């Protein structure tokens, strides 16, 4: 049937449908804004209790809820008392946060809610596919972005990609991690654009976990071995070494197989996979990381010679003076390092979550000095609290570091001198921590 002005019914139905879709879209957008506001309000308040009315009045002040809407009311099925529509939405959001374990009722204070420990340590991911500069220094740039988006911000060659990817754990941590089944594919996809931007002779160093076991068995998973082969076969990288990071303070484990079943030994190290795209041109130079000679070797150097068999004088080529001892490929760096201790204290004072799995800055600095020349570019797409960035800054290397969680970047930037903080990032960080003062009872 042809549509004419004499038969407006189909046109009216079409207009009504479009209006309904627009109204639904606006409603979803407003509810999303309310959800963000409620979550931010409880996150900023910390352990301070809040009432629904506090959040509602705060929403009106910020313009998320128009003041005129305070007159909009509905009659709840379970109550004859009317409530503003957005107040109802806020209550629903509160119940969702309660169900997720993010907030809880305050005992003996009816109507008051507070953030749980889980809620206080909640993390804010960067919007997918988007990047925001957090801060910059003379040498580097910290970016709030996920590891897939960061490479698009780079327009020059990378000389070292140093990172500690999330360990492939069966039970994920708060910051998230891929499962063992997809870990190798996931990391190869992350590294593909990085490999394309590597300078000739550049290195990739990955600090890997070593505590993943086969289900219900004391045998270790082969995930690191599979990754090692994939880095060569899929990305064309050459294996330089598997460095051993020995941590004398590593917590005893694996508890199930070492302490209970007694079929394993306590783990004391983690592997660091070191790969290069052109081994013959590798920038590594152990003269940049020489160690002090042992006291016995210094005594030997003082004598300048040793006696060989039969009392004959021996003039070994190893007796000459050298600038220092070449480190072995077993790297002993205990945790926590001084910066890890500082970050833990700073997190408590700033009301921000501390990263639970940072590698020591002392280890990062050793690798940066060993594998790069001053002025070259170091990149870390999973930078956490900026251990690699701080190490590069102190070593005089340029750096670009990103992380998906803004809280970790906000914490990590606290000890960067003369940093220039992005106004947008600073505004978000302050809102993350800004309390809403509850009225007196």
């Amino acid at each position: 049937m042809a549509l004419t002005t004499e038969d407006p019914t189909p046109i009216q139905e079409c207009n009504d449908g479009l209006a309904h879709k627009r109204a639904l879209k606006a409603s979803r957008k407003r509810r999303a804004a309310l959800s963000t506001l409620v979550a931010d309000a409880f996150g900023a308040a910390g352990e301070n209790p809040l009432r629904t009315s506090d959040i509602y009045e705060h929403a009106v002040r910020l313009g998320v809820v128009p003041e005129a809407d305070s007159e909009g009311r509905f009659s709840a099925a379970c109550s004859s008392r009317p409530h503003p529509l957005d107040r109802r939405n806020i209550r629903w959001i509160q119940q969702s946060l309660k169900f997720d374990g993010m907030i809880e009722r305050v005992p003996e204070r009816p109507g008051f809610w507070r953030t749980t420990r889980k809620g206080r340590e909640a993390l804010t991911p960067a919007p997918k596919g988007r990047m925001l500069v957090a801060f910059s220094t003379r040498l580097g740039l910290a970016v709030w972005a996920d590891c897939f988006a960061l490479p698009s911000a780079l327009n020059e060659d990378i000389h070292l990609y140093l990172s500690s990817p999330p360990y492939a754990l069966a039970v994920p941590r708060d910051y998230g991690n891929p499962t063992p089944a997809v870990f190798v594919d996931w990391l190869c996809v992350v590294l593909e654009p990085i490999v394309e931007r590597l300078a000739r002779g550049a290195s990739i160093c990955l600090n890997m976990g070593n505590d993943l076991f086969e289900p219900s068995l004391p045998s270790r998973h082969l995930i690191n071995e599979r990754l090692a082969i994939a880095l060569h076969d899929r990305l064309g990288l050459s294996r330089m070494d598997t460095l051993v990071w020995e941590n004398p303070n590593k917590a005893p484990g694996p508890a199930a197989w070492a302490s209970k079943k007694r079929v394993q030994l306590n783990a004391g190290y983690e592997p660091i996979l070191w790969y290069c795209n052109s081994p013959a041109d590798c920038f590594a130079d152990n003269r940049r990381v020489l160690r002090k000679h042992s006291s016995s070797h210094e005594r030997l150097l003082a004598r300048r010679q040793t006696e060989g068999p039969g009392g004959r004088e021996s003039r070994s080529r190893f007796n000459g003076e050298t600038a220092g001892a070449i480190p072995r490929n077993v790297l002993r760096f205990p945790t926590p390092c001084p910066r890890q201790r500082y970050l833990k204290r700073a997190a408590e004072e700033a009301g921000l979550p501390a990263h639970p799995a940072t590698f020591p800055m002392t280890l990062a600095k050793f690798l940066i000095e060993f594998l790069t020349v001053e002025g070259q570019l170091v990149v870390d797409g999973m930078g956490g609290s900026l251990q690699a960035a701080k190490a590069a800054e102190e070593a005089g290397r340029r750096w670009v570091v990103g992380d998906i969680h803004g809280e970790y970047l906000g914490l990590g930037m606290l000890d960067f001198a003369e940093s220039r903080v992005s106004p947008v990032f600073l505004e978000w960080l302050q809102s993350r921590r800004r309390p809403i003062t509850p009225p007196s009872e």
Side-chain angles (χ1 to χ4, degrees), residues 207 245 333-337 340 358-365 387:
N207 169 214
W245 166 33
F333 288 96
T335 58
C337 71
Q340 285 173 313
T358 61
F359 60 85
M361 194 193 84
T362 46
L363 171 61
K365 190 174 181 181
Q387 296 285 65

Side-chain angles (χ1 to χ4, degrees), residues 254-278:
W257 305 120
S259 301
K260 296 180 179 179
K261 297 294 185 179
R262 302 284 183 163
V263 295
Q264 276 284 4
L265 303 176
N266 280 332
Y269 79 95
E270 291 182 4
I272 298 176
L273 306 186
W274 171 26
Y275 280 71
C276 182
N277 64 350
S278 180

Side-chain angles (χ1 to χ4, degrees), residues 229-347:
I229 294 172
L231 291 175
H232 179 272
D233 291 351
R234 293 172 56 171
L235 302 182
L237 299 172
S238 298
R239 176 177 174 265
M240 298 294 289
D241 202 352
T242 298
L243 305 173
V244 173
W245 166 33
E246 180 193 1
N247 180 5
N249 297 334
K250 187 175 176 66
W257 305 120
S259 301
K260 296 180 179 179
K261 297 294 185 179
R262 302 284 183 163
V263 295
Q264 276 284 4
L265 303 176
N266 280 332
Y269 79 95
E270 291 182 4
I272 298 176
L273 306 186
W274 171 26
Y275 280 71
C276 182
N277 64 350
S278 180
D281 304 298
C282 188
F283 300 122
D285 191 335
N286 63 35
R287 289 171 294 186
R288 293 193 291 263
V289 289
L290 295 176
R291 295 297 193 238
K292 184 180 179 181
H293 285 298
S294 65
S295 56
S296 60
H297 188 75
E298 288 178 345
R299 289 194 298 270
L300 178 64
L301 291 177
R303 290 200 303 269
R304 297 291 184 125
Q305 60 185 23
T306 60
E307 282 193 4
R312 290 175 297 176
E313 194 176 82
S314 172
R315 297 188 180 276
S316 170
R317 61 190 175 95
F318 295 105
N319 292 341
E321 272 193 56
T322 60
I326 299 173
R328 299 184 183 274
N329 61 357
V330 176
L331 310 175
R332 185 183 176 91
F333 288 96
T335 58
C337 71
R339 188 169 189 264
Q340 285 173 313
R341 287 193 288 267
Y342 161 78
L343 290 175
K344 184 176 181 180
R345 294 194 304 270

Side-chain angles (χ1 to χ4, degrees), residues 107-321:
E108 300 178 0
R109 297 188 69 180
F112 282 84
W113 298 79
R114 66 186 176 194
T115 311
T116 62
R117 179 174 180 177
K118 177 182 177 181
R120 291 193 298 274
E121 295 176 355
L123 300 170
T124 308
K128 189 174 182 179
R130 295 176 58 188
M131 293 179 289
L132 173 67
V133 172
F135 72 96
S136 62
T137 68
R138 183 178 62 85
L139 291 174
L141 189 69
V143 184
W144 186 11
D146 67 35
C147 53
F148 296 99
L150 185 66
S152 63
L154 305 172
N155 57 6
E156 60 178 296
D157 289 343
I158 300 170
H159 301 93
L160 171 63
Y161 187 85
L162 169 63
S163 193
S164 180
Y167 297 165
L169 303 175
V171 180
R173 289 182 169 169
D174 290 341
Y175 52 78
N177 56 267
T179 62
V182 302
F183 183 84
V184 172
D185 288 334
W186 172 82
L187 191 53
C188 283
V189 171
V190 170
L191 294 176
E192 280 176 0
I194 296 295
V195 172
E196 293 174 0
R197 289 170 171 78
L198 290 179
R200 187 176 181 85
S203 294
I204 287 181
C205 270
L206 303 172
N207 169 214
M208 304 301 298
N210 199 31
D211 297 324
L212 183 63
F213 289 80
E214 294 183 296
S216 304
L217 292 172
S219 48
R220 294 184 186 273
H221 201 289
L222 295 177
I223 193 166
N224 289 339
E225 289 74 15
R226 290 172 181 165
L227 175 62
I229 294 172
L231 291 175
H232 179 272
D233 291 351
R234 293 172 56 171
L235 302 182
L237 299 172
S238 298
R239 176 177 174 265
M240 298 294 289
D241 202 352
T242 298
L243 305 173
V244 173
W245 166 33
E246 180 193 1
N247 180 5
N249 297 334
K250 187 175 176 66
W257 305 120
S259 301
K260 296 180 179 179
K261 297 294 185 179
R262 302 284 183 163
V263 295
Q264 276 284 4
L265 303 176
N266 280 332
Y269 79 95
E270 291 182 4
I272 298 176
L273 306 186
W274 171 26
Y275 280 71
C276 182
N277 64 350
S278 180
D281 304 298
C282 188
F283 300 122
D285 191 335
N286 63 35
R287 289 171 294 186
R288 293 193 291 263
V289 289
L290 295 176
R291 295 297 193 238
K292 184 180 179 181
H293 285 298
S294 65
S295 56
S296 60
H297 188 75
E298 288 178 345
R299 289 194 298 270
L300 178 64
L301 291 177
R303 290 200 303 269
R304 297 291 184 125
Q305 60 185 23
T306 60
E307 282 193 4
R312 290 175 297 176
E313 194 176 82
S314 172
R315 297 188 180 276
S316 170
R317 61 190 175 95
F318 295 105
N319 292 341
E321 272 193 56

